[in-house]
Amino acid sequence: MRADARRNRDILVEVAANAFAERGAKASLEEIARSAGVGIGTLYRHFPTREHLVEVVYRRELELLASAAAELMAEKEPDVALEEWMHRFVSYMAAKRGMANSLKLLFTSNSALFNEGSQLLQTAFGQLLDNAAATGAIKDDIASADVLNALFGIYSIPDGPEWHERAHRIVRLVMDGLRR
């Protein structure tokens, strides 16, 4: 892929991720192309359907969230890294909510995508949790799958202007429950 084509594709993915997180299904592809500074033809050359764009954005969000675990562990105290990652998880959930209808279509046609994504998140979060438990910052008898299930409950918060605030309060509540 030429450098300019790669740059356009990367910008489209970035803009689409923000649009889906902010406007959800209401985000139009024309609006995404315009915000990325490209024509709609360029968007369709890279992403023939909305679902294709959603899949690429979803993968990107998963990879960013998973790689954040290692970065946070290298830079922060274990409990701070864990809590910050959970707050980033809220942003991931916000983007996922915005792509819900398209993700449902993808789930039926590409379950491997979700299995890979689930494994990626479980591994990254498990490392954060184990690291924090090893230092004594949190309880050591907590299963990462249980905490992730609690965090996935954030998805069920009804839409509204207070969604992000409520989601971050839940993260603080979960973190308080993990601490010794």
Side-chain angles (χ1 to χ4, degrees):
M1 186 179 288
R2 293 184 343 232
D4 61 332
R6 166 61 66 192
R7 187 174 47 254
N8 286 342
R9 186 179 192 283
D10 292 346
I11 290 169
L12 282 164
V13 171
E14 177 74 27
V15 169
N18 292 331
F20 293 143
E22 292 172 11
R23 293 182 295 287
K26 296 176 189 170
S28 75
L29 297 182
E30 291 82 9
E31 200 177 297
I32 290 169
R34 189 172 36 257
S35 295
V38 300
I40 192 67
T42 299
L43 184 143
Y44 281 117
R45 269 192 300 283
H46 290 286
F47 310 103
T49 65
R50 174 181 285 273
E51 285 70 33
H52 189 245
L53 178 58
V54 167
E55 179 178 349
V56 172
V57 169
Y58 179 73
R59 280 185 193 277
R60 174 188 170 269
E61 296 298 313
L62 280 170
E63 290 167 0
L64 288 172
L65 187 58
S67 67
E71 293 166 15
L72 289 167
M73 283 190 293
E75 299 169 2
K76 311 264 183 185
E77 291 297 318
D79 59 327
V80 174
L82 178 64
E83 186 169 8
E84 190 170 319
W85 189 90
M86 288 193 288
H87 285 291
R88 289 182 187 195
F89 184 81
V90 168
S91 296
Y92 160 77
M93 292 299 289
K96 190 174 173 187
R97 287 167 63 97
M99 300 182 289
N101 289 336
S102 294
L103 285 172
K104 286 178 190 173
L105 290 173
L106 283 173
F107 184 69
T108 59
S109 65
N110 190 359
S111 62
L113 171 67
F114 293 96
N115 290 335
E116 292 166 18
S118 177
Q119 187 60 46
L120 193 61
L121 284 183
Q122 287 176 11
T123 299
F125 186 70
Q127 291 170 343
L128 283 161
L129 198 67
D130 291 346
N131 191 39
T135 65
I138 64 167
K139 299 170 187 166
D140 61 1
D141 62 344
I142 307 295
S144 63
D146 292 340
V147 181
L148 278 175
N149 283 337
L151 292 174
F152 274 112
I154 290 169
Y155 193 81
S156 67
I157 298 171
D159 282 329
E162 74 287 344
W163 186 89
H164 280 90
E165 184 180 319
R166 289 183 71 193
H168 288 291
R169 280 197 316 261
I170 290 171
V171 167
R172 288 191 301 274
L173 179 67
V174 168
M175 196 62 204
D176 286 347
L178 293 172
R179 286 195 172 95
R180 291 190 170 271

